[in-house]
Amino acid sequence: MPLTDQHRFGMQLAQMSRGWRAELDRRLAGLGLSQARWLVLLHLARFEQAPTQRELAQSVGVEGPTLARLLDSLETQGLVQRQAVVEDRRAKKIVLCPSARPLIEQIETIATALRHELFAGVDEADLKVCMRVHGHILANLEKS
């Protein structure tokens, strides 16, 4: 059975996603963080106010117990801190420690350099079309 363009698109998208993440992980290996842990730090840094553990898990796209283990290791490294929520004793806010900021800046610098390399030669108009197509597919996924 011949592959359709939709099939090729899906395979190519998955390959690109895995490859991009693997290359970023390779470049970040010297920082002593696993992919899962640097991803949590980046998501956490993008919140304007400290999220609850549940909000952070949703943002990262992992289950609560998985995030709890990651937070345990990040807390042991002195990069994050859990703080009780006054209104809900079961909830915990996750706060970045000051020592995490320089590390996050390094992660961002490395990620930005890789992004510039990967988008070299990509026309801005083509990028906008690609983003529109991806947006449409994501909207269809949300309907499912």
Side-chain angles (χ1 to χ4, degrees):
M1 174 175 3
L3 295 179
T4 66
D5 284 343
Q6 289 176 347
H7 191 116
R8 281 190 199 92
F9 179 85
M11 289 172 43
Q12 188 179 50
L13 183 61
Q15 182 181 8
M16 181 184 66
S17 179
R18 281 191 308 273
W20 188 333
R21 207 173 217 173
E23 179 59 19
L24 184 55
D25 199 36
R26 187 186 70 72
R27 292 182 187 204
L28 293 174
L31 299 180
L33 291 172
S34 68
Q35 183 178 106
R37 288 187 292 169
W38 61 251
L39 199 57
V40 168
L41 289 175
L42 284 182
H43 278 261
L44 190 52
R46 292 190 173 110
F47 278 91
E48 288 189 25
Q49 294 186 7
T52 63
Q53 196 163 318
R54 173 177 281 169
E55 291 167 337
L56 183 57
Q58 288 174 335
S59 175
V60 176
V62 297
E63 297 295 321
T66 301
L67 181 65
R69 287 189 297 277
L70 292 168
L71 291 174
D72 288 344
S73 65
L74 290 169
E75 204 166 24
T76 299
Q77 286 183 274
L79 299 172
V80 301
Q81 193 174 39
R82 292 176 172 108
Q83 295 180 347
V85 176
V86 178
E87 314 83 57
D88 183 354
R89 292 183 324 168
R90 296 168 300 168
K92 300 277 189 226
K93 294 264 185 195
I94 310 303
V95 179
L96 282 170
C97 294
S99 59
R101 293 290 173 194
L103 188 58
I104 290 168
E105 286 176 20
Q106 284 182 287
I107 294 167
E108 292 282 8
T109 298
I110 292 167
T112 298
L114 176 59
R115 207 170 26 255
H116 286 302
E117 287 175 36
L118 296 179
F119 283 98
V122 175
D123 184 68
E124 196 70 29
D126 289 342
L127 183 58
K128 287 188 188 317
V129 168
C130 191
M131 288 172 58
R132 190 168 55 247
V133 170
H134 288 173
H136 193 86
I137 293 169
L138 286 171
N140 288 344
L141 271 173
E142 288 175 11
K143 291 181 205 172
S144 299

